[in-house]
Amino acid sequence: MRHLLSTEGLDAATATSVLDTADTLKQTLLGREVKKLPTLRGRTVVTLFYENSTRTRVSFEVAGKWMSADVINVSASSSSVGKGESLRDTALTLAAAGADCVIIRHPASGAAHRLAGWLDGVGSQVVNAGDGMHEHPTQALLDAATLRERLGELAGRRIAIVGDLLHSRVARSNVHLLRTLGAEVVLVAPPTLVPTGAEQWGAEVRHELDPELPKLDAVMVLRVQAERMHGGFFPSAREYSIAYGLNQARLDKLPEHAVVLHPGPMLRGMEIAPAVADSPRAAITQQVSNGVHVRMAVLYHLLAGEELGA
Amino acid sequence: MTRLLLKDVRPYGEGDPVDVLVDGEVVAEIGADLQVDADEIVHAGGAVLLPGFVDLHTHLREPGREDAETVETGSAAAALGGYTAVFAMANTDPVADNAVVVEHVWRRGREIGLVDVHPVGAVTVGLEGEKLAELGSMRRSAAEVRVFSDDGHCVHDPLVMRRALEYTKSFGGVVAQHAEEPRLTVGAQAHEGPNAARLGLAGWPAPAEEAIVARDCLLAGHTGGALHVCHVSTAGTADILRWWKSRDTAGRVSAEVTPHHLLLTDDRLETYDPVNKVNPPLRTDADVQALRQALADGTVDCVATDHAPHAAQDKDCEWSAAKPGMLGLQTALSIVVRTMVRSGLLDWRGVARVMSERPAEIAGLADQGRPVAVGEPANLVLVDPDAEWTVRGAELASLGQNSPFEGMQLPGRVVATLLRGRLTAHEGKVRR
């Protein structure tokens, strides 16, 4: 039994296969008025979200429905979870009710791993849709899909991930996947937002953004997660914006072909200037669009096709 | 009075086997092949005889969480682990911050009679760190509380800590500190290092412990109060204690290390299994090695289990929701054998020192941690040093089954425990 819990340990062949499938699905559905494939007919997919999310949940839901799966959305606030039911009991209930796949978003790092452990014995599969500060593997896959479309192969490309690395599951998943696909990764943030030992992740760590810009093929801007900040990680939003915000002047220092990504939701004016976010060089809406196809591909590999690495 | 003959035992693991006659509550005779009448004979086959172990740091969960542990089940675990005295931490529900609660725990211990249960009194009301609890009332109660701790919480206000050290000095009390600077550990889930960062777990940095230990040493020196540092977990803390104890004005500062901090590292975070979640957290191999050295050279005085049973639902959940803590009473000896004896860092006299004599001295117990000698109280433990056993949480006496050593094969096992001359455990079974 395999699940998609993280990109750490996901090998290049498997990741490439998912991206290729996503690409095929995208081409297959292109221009179709009715976006419906019969691939997962009769399979039940449950989204179990313990955190608010619009884009990720909708993306998974659309992905499942376009593949004809029965998609059931469970949110923690309106279910028995709100009555105090444990994650374990909720998971076993969903599995007993026939869920073939549980897609979980949870504020606790490792929640998807725990869920997979409980469900291994009953045959349901798990997709991690974001666990605490740990990983968000489908976000990394959709980012890779977007970069492939814009840049071609990722091998040898230099990509910066900028901002709140400490609290970012997106950053962790992207570092692993981008390196697996052969890209060079540079992490840029103030020292207070760099996780301990990040230099051991195989990425370069820098604290100044400007010297990096001319060398980059892509910039991933991260959301500053104010809700996870229990202390002052930087003096002010203004100072952060001056040092790390991706504004027009910085965009101009990037090579012509370089792409800008952001996992959303964006803090416009602080992390990223509105003009940059809306510029043709930003691939932000393309990321959202690719998210559906990537998640279709993940569900396909888990439920209908070959197994994914854990 | 009952007469018990222990045949073929080796006190402190030294010399040829001898027989030890226990008459009533004391050791009456030691000699080769004693020919005496006895009510019961224990054939020990050369097992090591040591003074009964004393645990300065046990969580018995009663009152309040009797589903996780009771004084009775915890006492059974203690007896099976070779303990003759345990100190039951104050973070119960209600908190043991008054004479009524500590007397309840003490009385339950006496009724059960497997181990001397000494309640630890809270330092502050409700463990809230703001107002001193009625320390003197607890001292004057039937429980005669000697050790005070807000364990689980740090007495983080330096003025409150100063007052606690000063106030308890008048009646020989000890303040046992859970050293954790709370501002540095907001949301902390695991040792701050590469493993926690990679796994997305908020870090508990070593200086959060070290800063409080350094501060408290200075306060103990200034006030003359008795400080005991709970569950030392970092190499830096060992360095601070070593520096402090090297001074002429070292005062009364003592420290303990847990078995799990002598063996396990934060590599075990990988599975997100909360059985490995403990406070302070499992740290690095460098910390583990430093703690072993510190225990061997006396910088850290003793081993204390921080035995912390939990109900299944409090551990079989996501990491951040899980309660910190591990079982310890029945595995402590084996972990000490594995980490300290088999490595040559401690001999059996050393084991007696760190598991019995020093903890008894620190807490001011007159009848525990005494030498194995004629006329001394017969609080004893017999250890088979060559036994190997596999830990099965479900087979341990505690109600909780949260042992991080589950499935691990460990060396050394308790053969028998005697409390004031009476067998409380023998060959893996509790004797009532």
Side-chain angles (χ1 to χ4, degrees):
Chain A
M1 175 59 65
R2 295 293 184 96
H3 314 276
L4 180 62
L5 306 179
S6 63
T7 58
E8 188 181 13
L10 193 66
D11 63 70
T14 306
T16 303
S17 174
V18 172
L19 295 175
D20 290 345
T21 303
D23 194 39
T24 303
L25 288 165
K26 185 173 185 176
Q27 299 307 321
T28 303
L29 293 172
L30 199 66
R32 282 202 192 186
E33 193 171 331
V34 178
K35 293 182 169 55
K36 203 80 166 176
L37 302 172
T39 319
L40 298 183
R41 186 178 291 150
R43 311 303 295 270
T44 302
V45 172
V46 174
T47 66
L48 176 60
F49 273 49
Y50 286 75
E51 281 184 340
N52 293 330
S53 164
T54 302
R55 75 187 65 212
T56 303
R57 179 147 82 178
V58 167
S59 182
F60 271 112
E61 185 173 356
V62 170
K65 287 184 171 172
W66 282 5
M67 299 185 84
S68 302
D70 295 311
V71 182
I72 298 164
N73 296 317
V74 178
S75 68
S77 59
S78 60
S79 68
S80 53
V81 171
K83 300 170 190 168
E85 186 175 63
S86 71
L87 176 61
R88 181 178 182 277
D89 286 343
T90 301
L92 294 177
T93 299
L94 296 176
D100 295 298
C101 181
V102 178
I103 297 160
I104 183 171
R105 159 73 60 97
H106 199 285
S109 299
H113 284 73
R114 296 290 288 160
L115 187 69
W118 294 317
L119 295 185
D120 263 345
V122 292
S124 300
Q125 288 164 300
V126 176
V127 175
N128 181 5
D131 62 326
M133 303 188 299
H134 178 224
E135 284 225 29
H136 192 355
T138 58
Q139 177 71 42
L141 286 163
L142 74 88
D143 289 341
T146 305
L147 289 170
R148 283 206 328 177
E149 283 181 348
R150 291 286 187 112
L151 302 173
E153 287 305 305
L154 297 184
R157 297 292 188 175
R158 186 170 173 84
I159 297 160
I161 305 177
V162 181
D164 185 0
L165 303 163
L166 183 66
H167 302 101
S168 177
R169 52 196 175 209
V170 173
R172 284 168 177 79
S173 282
N174 263 306
V175 169
H176 297 310
L177 184 63
L178 291 171
R179 290 199 66 248
T180 298
L181 295 175
E184 290 176 22
V185 180
V186 56
L187 301 171
V188 185
T192 49
L193 291 176
V194 177
T196 307
E199 62 281 357
Q200 296 172 23
W201 297 356
E204 296 172 32
V205 177
R206 298 284 182 267
H207 304 305
E208 286 187 64
L209 177 57
D210 289 305
E212 300 301 319
L213 293 169
K215 300 177 273 185
L216 298 174
D217 296 296
V219 182
M220 288 184 178
V221 182
L222 297 174
R223 184 170 69 87
V224 175
Q225 300 191 39
E227 75 276 16
R228 295 188 201 274
M229 301 227 179
H230 303 293
F233 285 84
F234 47 83
S236 69
R238 179 174 175 274
E239 181 162 318
Y240 180 90
S241 182
I242 290 169
Y244 299 100
L246 193 63
N247 53 28
Q248 187 64 50
R250 289 197 167 109
L251 187 71
D252 293 341
K253 289 184 186 172
L254 288 167
E256 279 291 315
H257 68 276
V259 193
V260 173
L261 282 77
H262 194 301
M266 290 180 283
L267 288 179
R268 284 173 181 258
M270 181 191 174
E271 304 153 350
I272 190 165
V276 176
D278 297 332
S279 84
R281 301 182 52 191
I284 295 163
T285 53
Q286 194 178 344
Q287 287 174 272
V288 177
S289 168
N290 283 335
V292 176
H293 304 117
V294 160
R295 285 163 180 136
M296 289 173 76
V298 167
L299 292 175
Y300 171 81
H301 279 260
L302 282 175
L303 295 172
E306 60 196 83
E307 289 184 337
L308 285 171
Chain B
M1 289 209 295
T2 305
R3 286 160 64 90
L4 179 66
L5 183 62
L6 307 176
K7 284 207 68 75
D8 291 334
V9 301
R10 295 170 65 233
Y12 302 102
E14 298 166 354
D16 294 328
V18 295
D19 296 348
V20 172
L21 177 67
V22 174
D23 193 353
E25 298 187 359
V26 298
V27 175
E29 205 172 339
I30 300 177
D33 198 20
L34 294 181
Q35 299 299 314
V36 295
D37 290 333
D39 299 292
E40 184 169 2
I41 298 174
V42 172
H43 295 275
V48 175
L49 184 64
L50 301 173
F53 302 145
V54 175
D55 189 18
L56 289 176
H57 197 141
T58 302
H59 295 273
L60 293 180
R61 305 300 186 209
E62 182 179 350
R65 284 307 300 267
E66 289 84 350
D67 58 329
E69 192 78 296
T70 64
V71 175
E72 184 166 13
T73 56
S75 293
L80 291 165
Y83 288 89
T84 49
V86 298
F87 285 76
M89 278 295 167
N91 60 340
T92 50
D93 184 13
V95 172
D97 60 4
N98 58 77
V100 174
V101 178
V102 295
E103 284 196 359
H104 167 79
V105 174
W106 172 78
R107 208 172 300 282
R108 287 291 296 138
R110 294 253 298 186
E111 288 165 3
I112 293 154
L114 290 173
V115 61
D116 287 346
V117 175
H118 297 282
V120 173
V123 178
T124 65
V125 175
L127 309 173
E128 291 175 352
E130 293 177 0
K131 185 173 181 296
L132 287 183
E134 291 184 342
L135 308 173
S137 295
M138 289 189 275
R139 178 74 185 100
R140 289 187 294 274
S141 73
E144 297 182 352
V145 175
R146 297 166 183 277
V147 180
F148 299 90
S149 181
D150 278 2
D151 182 58
H153 302 268
C154 180
V155 182
H156 59 87
D157 183 324
L159 185 57
V160 174
M161 188 62 185
R162 174 196 171 146
R163 298 294 185 230
L165 287 164
E166 283 176 326
Y167 194 80
T168 53
K169 189 172 69 165
S170 65
F171 48 80
V174 181
V175 180
Q177 175 71 293
H178 172 117
E180 177 183 352
E181 167 49 55
R183 288 285 291 152
L184 289 175
T185 57
V186 174
Q189 296 288 332
H191 170 66
E192 183 176 301
N195 284 330
R198 186 170 55 80
L199 295 168
L201 298 170
W204 198 129
E209 174 175 301
E210 294 152 5
I212 293 291
V213 173
R215 181 201 78 175
D216 288 353
C217 284
L218 296 170
L219 289 173
H222 186 68
T223 61
L227 168 71
H228 178 69
V229 182
C230 293
H231 40 49
V232 171
S233 71
T234 79
T237 297
D239 287 342
I240 290 164
L241 290 167
R242 191 171 285 117
W243 162 74
W244 184 258
K245 289 185 172 188
S246 71
R247 292 162 43 119
D248 291 340
T249 54
R252 294 178 59 197
V253 174
S254 58
E256 68 188 34
V257 62
T258 71
H260 47 269
H261 286 111
L262 289 173
L263 180 63
L264 307 177
T265 68
D266 67 342
D267 287 346
R268 290 179 64 109
L269 298 177
E270 197 69 39
T271 61
Y272 290 105
D273 184 344
V275 77
N276 298 306
K277 182 175 176 179
V278 67
N279 188 14
L282 301 179
R283 301 210 185 261
T284 67
D285 187 57
D287 293 305
V288 165
Q289 299 307 326
L291 293 174
R292 290 180 186 181
Q293 289 296 333
L295 182 63
D297 69 21
T299 299
V300 168
D301 299 80
C302 62
V303 171
T305 66
D306 197 3
H307 176 79
H310 286 297
Q313 69 271 17
D314 293 326
K315 280 294 192 181
D316 197 10
C317 55
E318 50 274 41
W319 181 276
S320 64
K323 294 190 172 172
M326 303 171 164
L327 297 187
L329 284 168
Q330 284 180 255
T331 46
L333 168 74
S334 293
I335 303 302
V336 169
V337 171
R338 175 165 165 170
T339 59
M340 303 298 295
V341 178
R342 296 262 166 113
S343 63
L345 288 168
L346 283 182
D347 58 14
W348 289 103
R349 284 203 181 263
V351 173
R353 171 169 58 82
V354 302
M355 294 191 72
S356 180
E357 294 162 8
R358 281 299 291 143
E361 288 168 9
I362 290 164
L365 299 183
D367 60 343
Q368 297 281 351
R370 299 293 303 164
V372 179
V374 172
E376 293 288 351
N379 296 314
L380 300 167
V381 58
L382 263 176
V383 174
D384 179 351
D386 301 318
E388 298 276 340
W389 63 294
T390 302
V391 181
R392 301 286 178 217
E395 296 170 6
L396 301 177
S398 288
L399 290 178
Q401 297 179 8
N402 50 301
S403 173
F405 309 113
E406 175 75 30
M408 198 180 282
Q409 189 170 337
L410 294 177
R413 189 144 207 199
V414 171
V415 176
T417 310
L418 283 75
L419 177 65
R420 283 185 285 282
R422 187 171 58 80
L423 277 171
T424 54
H426 186 213
E427 293 182 338
K429 292 193 168 49
V430 171
R431 295 275 293 259
R432 295 177 191 275

PDB file of all heavy atoms in Angstrom, chain B residues 11-34:
ATOM      1  N   PRO B  11      26.660  -8.740  46.755  1.00  0.00           N
ATOM      2  CA  PRO B  11      26.460  -7.311  47.039  1.00  0.00           C
ATOM      3  C   PRO B  11      27.337  -6.453  46.128  1.00  0.00           C
ATOM      4  O   PRO B  11      28.537  -6.703  46.016  1.00  0.00           O
ATOM      5  CB  PRO B  11      26.873  -7.192  48.518  1.00  0.00           C
ATOM      6  CG  PRO B  11      26.642  -8.548  49.090  1.00  0.00           C
ATOM      7  CD  PRO B  11      26.994  -9.498  47.981  1.00  0.00           C
ATOM      8  N   TYR B  12      26.726  -5.510  45.465  1.00  0.00           N
ATOM      9  CA  TYR B  12      27.405  -4.592  44.529  1.00  0.00           C
ATOM     10  C   TYR B  12      28.136  -5.358  43.415  1.00  0.00           C
ATOM     11  O   TYR B  12      29.044  -4.805  42.783  1.00  0.00           O
ATOM     12  CB  TYR B  12      28.382  -3.677  45.275  1.00  0.00           C
ATOM     13  CG  TYR B  12      27.699  -2.860  46.356  1.00  0.00           C
ATOM     14  CD1 TYR B  12      27.797  -3.231  47.694  1.00  0.00           C
ATOM     15  CD2 TYR B  12      26.939  -1.735  46.037  1.00  0.00           C
ATOM     16  CE1 TYR B  12      27.163  -2.513  48.688  1.00  0.00           C
ATOM     17  CE2 TYR B  12      26.297  -1.005  47.025  1.00  0.00           C
ATOM     18  CZ  TYR B  12      26.418  -1.397  48.353  1.00  0.00           C
ATOM     19  OH  TYR B  12      25.773  -0.675  49.328  1.00  0.00           O
ATOM     20  N   GLY B  13      27.754  -6.618  43.204  1.00  0.00           N
ATOM     21  CA  GLY B  13      28.369  -7.391  42.123  1.00  0.00           C
ATOM     22  C   GLY B  13      29.806  -7.758  42.380  1.00  0.00           C
ATOM     23  O   GLY B  13      30.542  -8.096  41.447  1.00  0.00           O
ATOM     24  N   GLU B  14      30.220  -7.689  43.642  1.00  0.00           N
ATOM     25  CA  GLU B  14      31.638  -7.904  43.962  1.00  0.00           C
ATOM     26  C   GLU B  14      31.829  -9.216  44.730  1.00  0.00           C
ATOM     27  O   GLU B  14      30.983  -9.603  45.532  1.00  0.00           O
ATOM     28  CB  GLU B  14      32.157  -6.735  44.806  1.00  0.00           C
ATOM     29  CG  GLU B  14      32.096  -5.394  44.070  1.00  0.00           C
ATOM     30  CD  GLU B  14      32.296  -4.204  45.001  1.00  0.00           C
ATOM     31  OE1 GLU B  14      32.362  -4.404  46.230  1.00  0.00           O
ATOM     32  OE2 GLU B  14      32.350  -3.073  44.484  1.00  0.00           O
ATOM     33  N   GLY B  15      32.957  -9.841  44.517  1.00  0.00           N
ATOM     34  CA  GLY B  15      33.360 -10.997  45.301  1.00  0.00           C
ATOM     35  C   GLY B  15      32.549 -12.248  45.014  1.00  0.00           C
ATOM     36  O   GLY B  15      31.745 -12.308  44.069  1.00  0.00           O
ATOM     37  N   ASP B  16      32.803 -13.267  45.842  1.00  0.00           N
ATOM     38  CA  ASP B  16      32.079 -14.522  45.697  1.00  0.00           C
ATOM     39  C   ASP B  16      30.670 -14.370  46.260  1.00  0.00           C
ATOM     40  O   ASP B  16      30.426 -13.544  47.140  1.00  0.00           O
ATOM     41  CB  ASP B  16      32.816 -15.631  46.462  1.00  0.00           C
ATOM     42  CG  ASP B  16      34.184 -15.916  45.832  1.00  0.00           C
ATOM     43  OD1 ASP B  16      34.285 -15.768  44.593  1.00  0.00           O
ATOM     44  OD2 ASP B  16      35.116 -16.233  46.585  1.00  0.00           O
ATOM     45  N   PRO B  17      29.749 -15.202  45.791  1.00  0.00           N
ATOM     46  CA  PRO B  17      28.368 -15.121  46.303  1.00  0.00           C
ATOM     47  C   PRO B  17      28.315 -15.400  47.807  1.00  0.00           C
ATOM     48  O   PRO B  17      29.078 -16.222  48.329  1.00  0.00           O
ATOM     49  CB  PRO B  17      27.640 -16.210  45.514  1.00  0.00           C
ATOM     50  CG  PRO B  17      28.436 -16.374  44.275  1.00  0.00           C
ATOM     51  CD  PRO B  17      29.859 -16.157  44.678  1.00  0.00           C
ATOM     52  N   VAL B  18      27.423 -14.699  48.465  1.00  0.00           N
ATOM     53  CA  VAL B  18      27.194 -14.885  49.897  1.00  0.00           C
ATOM     54  C   VAL B  18      25.692 -15.037  50.120  1.00  0.00           C
ATOM     55  O   VAL B  18      24.885 -14.838  49.201  1.00  0.00           O
ATOM     56  CB  VAL B  18      27.718 -13.690  50.719  1.00  0.00           C
ATOM     57  CG1 VAL B  18      29.231 -13.571  50.625  1.00  0.00           C
ATOM     58  CG2 VAL B  18      27.037 -12.391  50.265  1.00  0.00           C
ATOM     59  N   ASP B  19      25.347 -15.363  51.372  1.00  0.00           N
ATOM     60  CA  ASP B  19      23.947 -15.397  51.759  1.00  0.00           C
ATOM     61  C   ASP B  19      23.654 -14.175  52.627  1.00  0.00           C
ATOM     62  O   ASP B  19      24.522 -13.713  53.389  1.00  0.00           O
ATOM     63  CB  ASP B  19      23.633 -16.651  52.577  1.00  0.00           C
ATOM     64  CG  ASP B  19      23.840 -17.925  51.747  1.00  0.00           C
ATOM     65  OD1 ASP B  19      23.993 -17.808  50.514  1.00  0.00           O
ATOM     66  OD2 ASP B  19      23.857 -19.009  52.342  1.00  0.00           O
ATOM     67  N   VAL B  20      22.449 -13.670  52.503  1.00  0.00           N
ATOM     68  CA  VAL B  20      22.043 -12.514  53.299  1.00  0.00           C
ATOM     69  C   VAL B  20      20.751 -12.868  54.023  1.00  0.00           C
ATOM     70  O   VAL B  20      19.754 -13.239  53.384  1.00  0.00           O
ATOM     71  CB  VAL B  20      21.831 -11.264  52.416  1.00  0.00           C
ATOM     72  CG1 VAL B  20      21.225 -10.127  53.235  1.00  0.00           C
ATOM     73  CG2 VAL B  20      23.150 -10.828  51.798  1.00  0.00           C
ATOM     74  N   LEU B  21      20.772 -12.774  55.325  1.00  0.00           N
ATOM     75  CA  LEU B  21      19.572 -13.030  56.120  1.00  0.00           C
ATOM     76  C   LEU B  21      18.913 -11.700  56.460  1.00  0.00           C
ATOM     77  O   LEU B  21      19.529 -10.800  57.033  1.00  0.00           O
ATOM     78  CB  LEU B  21      19.920 -13.775  57.415  1.00  0.00           C
ATOM     79  CG  LEU B  21      18.714 -14.019  58.340  1.00  0.00           C
ATOM     80  CD1 LEU B  21      17.725 -15.002  57.710  1.00  0.00           C
ATOM     81  CD2 LEU B  21      19.164 -14.502  59.716  1.00  0.00           C
ATOM     82  N   VAL B  22      17.657 -11.614  56.087  1.00  0.00           N
ATOM     83  CA  VAL B  22      16.860 -10.433  56.429  1.00  0.00           C
ATOM     84  C   VAL B  22      15.903 -10.851  57.532  1.00  0.00           C
ATOM     85  O   VAL B  22      15.107 -11.779  57.365  1.00  0.00           O
ATOM     86  CB  VAL B  22      16.081  -9.927  55.203  1.00  0.00           C
ATOM     87  CG1 VAL B  22      15.148  -8.796  55.589  1.00  0.00           C
ATOM     88  CG2 VAL B  22      17.045  -9.480  54.113  1.00  0.00           C
ATOM     89  N   ASP B  23      16.029 -10.193  58.657  1.00  0.00           N
ATOM     90  CA  ASP B  23      15.186 -10.541  59.805  1.00  0.00           C
ATOM     91  C   ASP B  23      14.310  -9.337  60.106  1.00  0.00           C
ATOM     92  O   ASP B  23      14.810  -8.276  60.508  1.00  0.00           O
ATOM     93  CB  ASP B  23      16.079 -10.885  61.003  1.00  0.00           C
ATOM     94  CG  ASP B  23      15.279 -11.553  62.119  1.00  0.00           C
ATOM     95  OD1 ASP B  23      14.042 -11.622  62.000  1.00  0.00           O
ATOM     96  OD2 ASP B  23      15.909 -12.005  63.089  1.00  0.00           O
ATOM     97  N   GLY B  24      13.032  -9.504  59.890  1.00  0.00           N
ATOM     98  CA  GLY B  24      12.141  -8.350  60.061  1.00  0.00           C
ATOM     99  C   GLY B  24      12.458  -7.306  59.005  1.00  0.00           C
ATOM    100  O   GLY B  24      12.474  -7.614  57.813  1.00  0.00           O
ATOM    101  N   GLU B  25      12.769  -6.093  59.452  1.00  0.00           N
ATOM    102  CA  GLU B  25      12.958  -4.996  58.510  1.00  0.00           C
ATOM    103  C   GLU B  25      14.429  -4.686  58.235  1.00  0.00           C
ATOM    104  O   GLU B  25      14.732  -3.736  57.535  1.00  0.00           O
ATOM    105  CB  GLU B  25      12.257  -3.734  59.035  1.00  0.00           C
ATOM    106  CG  GLU B  25      10.752  -3.904  59.170  1.00  0.00           C
ATOM    107  CD  GLU B  25      10.052  -2.607  59.516  1.00  0.00           C
ATOM    108  OE1 GLU B  25      10.732  -1.571  59.670  1.00  0.00           O
ATOM    109  OE2 GLU B  25       8.815  -2.629  59.627  1.00  0.00           O
ATOM    110  N   VAL B  26      15.327  -5.482  58.834  1.00  0.00           N
ATOM    111  CA  VAL B  26      16.742  -5.134  58.670  1.00  0.00           C
ATOM    112  C   VAL B  26      17.559  -6.325  58.170  1.00  0.00           C
ATOM    113  O   VAL B  26      17.140  -7.478  58.267  1.00  0.00           O
ATOM    114  CB  VAL B  26      17.361  -4.634  59.997  1.00  0.00           C
ATOM    115  CG1 VAL B  26      16.675  -3.377  60.479  1.00  0.00           C
ATOM    116  CG2 VAL B  26      17.309  -5.730  61.043  1.00  0.00           C
ATOM    117  N   VAL B  27      18.726  -5.995  57.647  1.00  0.00           N
ATOM    118  CA  VAL B  27      19.699  -7.024  57.273  1.00  0.00           C
ATOM    119  C   VAL B  27      20.339  -7.530  58.569  1.00  0.00           C
ATOM    120  O   VAL B  27      20.954  -6.747  59.306  1.00  0.00           O
ATOM    121  CB  VAL B  27      20.765  -6.448  56.321  1.00  0.00           C
ATOM    122  CG1 VAL B  27      21.853  -7.486  56.037  1.00  0.00           C
ATOM    123  CG2 VAL B  27      20.125  -5.962  55.035  1.00  0.00           C
ATOM    124  N   ALA B  28      20.187  -8.839  58.819  1.00  0.00           N
ATOM    125  CA  ALA B  28      20.640  -9.374  60.106  1.00  0.00           C
ATOM    126  C   ALA B  28      22.000 -10.050  60.007  1.00  0.00           C
ATOM    127  O   ALA B  28      22.762 -10.055  60.976  1.00  0.00           O
ATOM    128  CB  ALA B  28      19.608 -10.368  60.641  1.00  0.00           C
ATOM    129  N   GLU B  29      22.294 -10.642  58.871  1.00  0.00           N
ATOM    130  CA  GLU B  29      23.538 -11.410  58.783  1.00  0.00           C
ATOM    131  C   GLU B  29      23.955 -11.516  57.325  1.00  0.00           C
ATOM    132  O   GLU B  29      23.109 -11.679  56.431  1.00  0.00           O
ATOM    133  CB  GLU B  29      23.295 -12.815  59.366  1.00  0.00           C
ATOM    134  CG  GLU B  29      24.544 -13.489  59.880  1.00  0.00           C
ATOM    135  CD  GLU B  29      24.222 -14.802  60.620  1.00  0.00           C
ATOM    136  OE1 GLU B  29      23.054 -14.959  61.056  1.00  0.00           O
ATOM    137  OE2 GLU B  29      25.113 -15.643  60.728  1.00  0.00           O
ATOM    138  N   ILE B  30      25.242 -11.445  57.072  1.00  0.00           N
ATOM    139  CA  ILE B  30      25.782 -11.659  55.734  1.00  0.00           C
ATOM    140  C   ILE B  30      26.955 -12.616  55.871  1.00  0.00           C
ATOM    141  O   ILE B  30      27.850 -12.399  56.686  1.00  0.00           O
ATOM    142  CB  ILE B  30      26.271 -10.337  55.091  1.00  0.00           C
ATOM    143  CG1 ILE B  30      25.109  -9.334  54.960  1.00  0.00           C
ATOM    144  CG2 ILE B  30      26.908 -10.605  53.727  1.00  0.00           C
ATOM    145  CD1 ILE B  30      25.514  -7.975  54.399  1.00  0.00           C
ATOM    146  N   GLY B  31      26.941 -13.690  55.100  1.00  0.00           N
ATOM    147  CA  GLY B  31      28.056 -14.625  55.191  1.00  0.00           C
ATOM    148  C   GLY B  31      27.925 -15.732  54.176  1.00  0.00           C
ATOM    149  O   GLY B  31      26.886 -15.878  53.514  1.00  0.00           O
ATOM    150  N   ALA B  32      28.981 -16.496  54.049  1.00  0.00           N
ATOM    151  CA  ALA B  32      28.976 -17.594  53.085  1.00  0.00           C
ATOM    152  C   ALA B  32      28.188 -18.767  53.664  1.00  0.00           C
ATOM    153  O   ALA B  32      28.397 -19.161  54.811  1.00  0.00           O
ATOM    154  CB  ALA B  32      30.416 -18.015  52.784  1.00  0.00           C
ATOM    155  N   ASP B  33      27.268 -19.274  52.845  1.00  0.00           N
ATOM    156  CA  ASP B  33      26.518 -20.489  53.174  1.00  0.00           C
ATOM    157  C   ASP B  33      25.954 -20.460  54.604  1.00  0.00           C
ATOM    158  O   ASP B  33      26.237 -21.323  55.431  1.00  0.00           O
ATOM    159  CB  ASP B  33      27.433 -21.713  52.986  1.00  0.00           C
ATOM    160  CG  ASP B  33      26.606 -22.996  52.880  1.00  0.00           C
ATOM    161  OD1 ASP B  33      25.392 -22.890  52.571  1.00  0.00           O
ATOM    162  OD2 ASP B  33      27.162 -24.072  53.113  1.00  0.00           O
ATOM    163  N   LEU B  34      25.122 -19.463  54.866  1.00  0.00           N
ATOM    164  CA  LEU B  34      24.513 -19.331  56.197  1.00  0.00           C
ATOM    165  C   LEU B  34      23.576 -20.506  56.463  1.00  0.00           C
ATOM    166  O   LEU B  34      22.769 -20.873  55.601  1.00  0.00           O
ATOM    167  CB  LEU B  34      23.715 -18.033  56.298  1.00  0.00           C
ATOM    168  CG  LEU B  34      24.496 -16.712  56.236  1.00  0.00           C
ATOM    169  CD1 LEU B  34      23.527 -15.545  56.386  1.00  0.00           C
ATOM    170  CD2 LEU B  34      25.575 -16.656  57.305  1.00  0.00           C
TER     171      LEU B  34
END
